[in-house]
Amino acid sequence: MPRWGLLVEQNLGFGGQRRVWSGGVIDHVDGTREEALEVLRQRAEEYRPVHPTSPKRRRLYRERDGFVLVLDGAWQSFHCRFTVIEQLYDSAEPKPVPQPEDVPRPPHAREPEHDPRPEPGHPLPPPPPSAPEEPRAWDADVPEVPSWLNRDRPS
């Protein structure tokens, strides 16, 4: 079953010269393209973009691969583009863990009893880690009074 990314593109930043058109995946949907488009429509209707901060009017338009949300602000209009994109590859996706095959047992066989003691030659598992230590301050090894001031000598 394909995995679909829900992409939103919008203006980020402030001021006429500092605005940047930026995109990001807001969610994933496993299923059909039509299911992903329906989820994307719901997300687009509820979406609160960065600009404008208090829209006067919202209009949602459908296009071939998604939606365009047009927002009228106090001084100008902004838009956000919502697109359904199929995920083909993810380098950070965890590898599936192989499942052990079920070995059929005779109906009269009993479950082997588990001995809670470790086998000889096998060490006990390590105890759970204690609470992590507080990180040291970046200047923890710097003396209060530097030695170059000649104040570290007794007078």
Side-chain angles (χ1 to χ4, degrees):
M1 184 169 291
R3 182 173 186 138
W4 301 92
L6 308 182
L7 176 72
V8 62
E9 298 169 283
Q10 65 176 325
N11 283 309
L12 297 178
F14 295 98
Q17 300 297 324
R18 290 181 233 121
R19 260 194 241 127
V20 178
W21 185 246
S22 178
V25 176
I26 56 174
D27 203 357
H28 288 94
V29 175
D30 295 319
T32 65
R33 183 174 182 278
E34 289 72 27
E35 292 170 342
L37 275 168
E38 184 58 37
V39 172
L40 182 63
R41 179 179 179 160
Q42 293 169 1
R43 297 292 296 263
E45 289 173 355
E46 301 168 353
Y47 193 74
R48 300 286 177 244
V50 175
H51 297 293
T53 52
S54 54
K56 307 293 182 212
R57 181 179 179 192
R58 296 172 60 96
R59 291 168 287 181
L60 185 63
Y61 296 96
R62 183 181 181 104
E63 61 177 5
R64 184 170 179 261
D65 291 325
F67 305 92
V68 175
L69 178 64
V70 178
L71 302 120
D72 295 335
W75 302 101
Q76 66 188 63
S77 295
F78 296 88
H79 73 282
C80 298
R81 183 175 305 277
F82 297 87
T83 311
V84 169
I85 50 178
E86 184 176 3
Q87 180 179 329
L88 301 178
Y89 171 74
D90 182 357
S91 65
E93 188 172 15
K95 304 236 185 271
V97 178
Q99 299 294 326
E101 296 180 19
D102 291 333
V103 178
R105 285 183 293 193
H108 61 280
R110 291 182 20 186
E111 288 284 328
E113 293 184 19
H114 178 66
D115 187 5
R117 294 176 291 167
E119 294 181 22
H122 290 84
L124 291 173
S130 60
E133 293 182 21
E134 290 283 328
R136 290 178 45 140
W138 65 272
D139 62 350
D141 296 326
V142 177
E144 289 285 327
V145 178
S147 61
W148 53 266
L149 283 177
N150 293 325
R151 294 188 182 168
D152 58 344
R153 293 183 290 170
S155 3

